Amino acid sequence: MNYETIIGLEVHVELLTKTKIYCGCSTEFGGQANTHVCPICLGLPGSLPELNKKVVEYAIKAGLALNCSITKLSRMDRKNYFYPDCPKNYQITQDELPLCRDGFIEIELEDGTKKKIGIERIHIEEDAGKLLHTAAGTLVDFNRSGVPLIEIVSKPDIRSPREATLYLEKLKSILSTLGVSDCKMEEGSLRCDGNISIRPEGTQKFGVKSEIKNMNSFKALEKALSYEYQRQVEAVNNNEKLLTETRRWDEASGVTLVMRNKEQANDYRYFPEGDMVTIKISDELIESIRKTIPEMMHEKCERFVRDYKIPEYDAGVLTLSTDMADFFESTAKLSNDAKSSSNWLMGDISRLMNEKALSVKSLKFTPNDLSELIKYINTGTISNNIGKIVIEEMFYTGKSPKEIIEEKGLIQNNDEGFIVEEVNKVLDSNQAAVENYKNGKTRITGFLVGLVLKATKGKANPQLVNKFMLEEINKR
Ligand SMILES: [Zn+2]
């Protein structure tokens, strides 16, 4: 029997506010343990939380970008549980009235079709502290306690581990572009849990689901969900009863392991947080936040194809980061040659950045410099091959193309008499190749042109070399 996979993702994202959600402590990552704390985020009795307005604004911004409707009257709730990283014994979160509801993300599948994945809700809440398990015992650091989070819960619309990855990638791209989170999975500012179940293809009833925790990278997400799908299919085929479980992905062994089952599940006893007022959101606030939403990367990608007539592939690569996209756009405008701008950025410049592990931000030259280089090539001042030497020099020294070309004497030689002479020198010393040409192997001219360019250290105008090569070889 064939089984269909049903997946829903719950993503926790740390917001990039300067201060915590219910107090004025710093949200900075790292720092000496228990230095970013106060009575509120330590949960001391009698302390009163006060909601950080910026958190609400960031959450609404995310909600609008994810096509959600915003809840005008919202409130905070207590989620009760005991754990040493949560000293109040409850987390202040949102239960029945999340800030944002009913949105979607559109993903593009491998075959090019687009698919909408629904978003059930986005709510705001506080992060817990961090337990550090050492040889001497377990320590607790409350620096993270009270760092603002949004939890984004998808609808069970995802049908494969691959789709789950595409969804998370798109979500990460949108949130990063919005600037509401740095989305660093390695630092825990973006964390993903998943619910997965299977059902026979063509049926509607949902199967027994397991919740998978600890998927800390895109790779882990896809591997964990693929493993869990296989495990559930095998269990059903062997007539084993599937249980509602919380399982943990174990990266080292590549399996999911049981953490707890339904009987051990928490009952959180949610109730309204009496220490905090109702959150009222005005239309004016929503509209003013909507105005601050920048162009999303997928929109930018489509616009680059439309406005700059570059291939979709180029646009996709150039819009992987805002810095790269901005560099491209400025260069394309200044040089009036979008395709060359894209070629240099995706080719030599990306190669050099990879070799040196540098980012676009750390480039020593500007879009203006790159556009100058493109103009020098397009006007025939230097050849494309010489351009490659210039770009390396620009990359390492930050000097302008003009300086480099003058210093190194790289200006292209367009002197026809000189080029004809160089062509004949090469033909004289390569009689065998000339014979081959006469015998019909006309492609040998490519080789001979290469020799001329080499002899002139790349400075002879390649178009002229090509032209005179054909003329001169046919005279022989
Ligand atoms: Zn605090």
Side-chain angles (χ1 to χ4, degrees):
M1 195 188 292
N2 285 330
Y3 293 95
E4 184 180 36
T5 327
I6 313 289
I7 298 170
L9 294 184
E10 291 170 10
V11 180
H12 285 90
V13 182
E14 280 182 2
L15 297 178
L16 266 181
T17 56
K18 290 201 171 60
T19 55
K20 293 184 178 180
I21 183 167
Y22 309 125
C23 63
C25 293
S26 166
T27 54
E28 206 176 315
F29 181 76
Q32 204 189 340
N34 298 309
T35 52
H36 304 161
V37 292
C38 74
I40 295 171
C41 55
L42 286 172
L44 300 188
S47 63
L48 284 174
E50 193 180 346
L51 187 57
N52 182 341
K53 194 176 168 208
K54 203 83 202 158
V55 172
V56 177
E57 290 175 3
Y58 277 7
I60 292 175
K61 197 168 179 178
L64 292 173
L66 298 172
N67 311 293
C68 292
S69 52
I70 308 300
T71 311
K72 299 284 180 59
L73 264 186
S74 173
R75 75 156 193 253
M76 306 306 296
D77 298 286
R78 286 188 185 184
K79 177 181 179 178
N80 297 281
Y81 69 94
F82 171 77
Y83 204 67
D85 64 6
C86 175
K88 297 194 295 289
N89 294 342
Y90 59 83
Q91 178 194 31
I92 306 178
T93 176
Q94 295 193 291
D95 181 28
E96 283 169 3
L97 294 169
L99 214 46
C100 318
R101 284 182 277 204
D102 284 327
F104 66 86
I105 284 184
E106 194 171 67
I107 57 168
E108 190 173 319
L109 306 177
E110 258 85 21
D111 64 3
T113 55
K114 304 220 162 136
K115 178 177 175 180
K116 277 181 188 169
I117 308 288
I119 288 172
E120 180 83 35
R121 57 184 283 151
I122 303 176
H123 63 258
I124 53 175
E125 61 186 26
E126 60 183 325
D127 211 341
K130 216 181 225 170
L131 296 181
L132 307 162
H133 304 286
T134 69
T138 296
L139 306 171
V140 60
D141 175 8
F142 289 115
N143 282 354
R144 201 179 67 181
S145 169
V147 166
L149 295 175
I150 46 175
E151 181 175 344
I152 301 162
V153 183
S154 88
K155 290 183 180 163
D157 292 345
I158 300 167
R159 288 293 170 270
S160 70
R162 185 71 205 133
E163 282 185 19
T165 306
L166 292 171
Y167 168 86
L168 192 62
E169 279 173 354
K170 190 71 173 278
L171 179 62
K172 185 182 169 187
S173 162
I174 291 172
L175 296 174
S176 306
T177 308
L178 288 177
V180 298
S181 173
D182 60 18
C183 293
K184 287 183 183 160
M185 280 182 107
E186 65 282 9
E187 285 182 8
S189 52
L190 188 149
R191 313 194 280 269
C192 181
D193 302 327
N195 289 305
I196 172 168
S197 63
I198 57 166
R199 68 184 173 198
E201 244 169 35
T203 62
Q204 288 305 310
K205 197 168 159 270
F206 286 120
V208 177
K209 71 177 178 189
S210 40
E211 185 184 359
I212 316 295
K213 300 258 186 203
N214 200 39
M215 301 184 289
N216 293 330
S217 66
F218 283 98
K219 236 191 211 158
L221 173 75
E222 200 155 339
K223 281 200 291 193
L225 293 173
S226 302
Y227 172 85
E228 187 59 19
Y229 167 76
Q230 274 308 327
R231 186 190 72 83
Q232 293 186 9
V233 168
E234 275 166 36
V236 171
N237 285 341
N238 294 333
N239 287 322
E240 288 166 27
K241 196 172 177 318
L242 281 173
L243 301 169
T244 304
E245 290 171 332
T246 302
R247 302 176 71 91
R248 179 174 63 84
W249 170 244
D250 189 81
E251 182 73 46
S253 50
V255 298
T256 62
L257 302 166
V258 182
M259 285 170 77
R260 54 179 180 264
N261 60 33
K262 203 178 183 179
E263 283 66 44
Q264 297 160 309
N266 288 310
D267 177 357
Y268 295 119
R269 311 267 165 152
Y270 283 97
F271 62 81
E273 168 57 70
D275 285 341
M276 292 177 90
V277 293
T278 309
I279 306 168
K280 282 186 196 159
I281 311 290
S282 68
D283 289 334
E284 290 75 32
L285 180 67
I286 295 174
E287 286 320 306
S288 70
I289 293 171
R290 198 191 298 279
K291 285 198 190 99
T292 65
I293 294 178
E295 182 184 37
M296 292 296 128
M297 289 316 228
H298 59 277
E299 293 164 347
K300 214 185 265 294
C301 179
E302 286 163 17
R303 185 168 60 80
F304 280 4
V305 173
R306 194 175 59 236
D307 292 358
Y308 295 103
K309 313 274 181 275
I310 56 170
E312 225 166 282
Y313 175 79
D314 290 30
V317 174
L318 294 168
T319 51
L320 285 177
S321 83
T322 312
D323 292 338
M324 182 61 116
D326 290 349
F327 204 104
F328 162 75
E329 191 156 24
S330 304
T331 312
K333 278 184 185 153
L334 290 163
S335 67
N336 224 347
D337 185 345
K339 186 58 184 138
S340 291
S341 307
S342 154
N343 287 350
W344 284 109
L345 282 166
M346 287 169 55
D348 292 73
I349 298 170
S350 287
R351 174 181 57 80
L352 289 163
M353 286 196 300
N354 285 340
E355 280 170 17
K356 298 287 159 201
L358 289 175
S359 65
V360 175
K361 262 214 167 78
S362 56
L363 286 176
K364 288 181 177 158
F365 56 89
T366 62
N368 191 44
D369 294 328
L370 181 55
S371 74
E372 290 295 318
L373 174 67
I374 293 169
K375 284 183 197 161
Y376 280 126
I377 296 168
N378 289 351
T379 53
T381 308
I382 60 167
S383 69
N384 203 59
N385 279 337
I386 292 291
K388 286 173 181 287
I389 298 171
V390 177
I391 198 77
E392 288 223 6
E393 194 70 15
M394 287 164 65
F395 182 84
Y396 288 114
T397 65
K399 285 182 186 167
S400 74
K402 187 164 184 281
E403 271 178 285
I404 298 165
I405 292 166
E406 281 172 1
E407 256 178 38
K408 301 199 166 221
L410 297 173
I411 292 180
Q412 181 162 267
N413 196 326
N414 296 319
D415 180 341
E416 300 193 353
F418 166 76
I419 291 172
V420 169
E421 206 174 293
E422 291 297 317
V423 164
N424 278 306
K425 271 190 215 161
V426 165
L427 292 176
D428 288 346
S429 49
N430 289 278
Q431 293 294 341
V434 176
E435 284 307 313
N436 278 334
Y437 178 82
K438 287 184 175 169
N439 292 328
K441 294 194 174 159
T442 52
R443 283 163 81 183
I444 199 120
T445 51
F447 162 72
L448 294 166
V449 165
L451 291 179
V452 177
L453 292 176
K454 204 173 160 198
T456 59
K457 298 197 169 62
K459 283 187 240 166
N461 180 327
Q463 272 103 30
L464 293 178
V465 175
N466 265 309
K467 181 181 159 219
F468 291 119
M469 177 58 70
L470 281 176
E471 281 183 25
E472 295 302 311
I473 202 168
N474 281 322
K475 286 184 193 163
R476 297 202 173 212

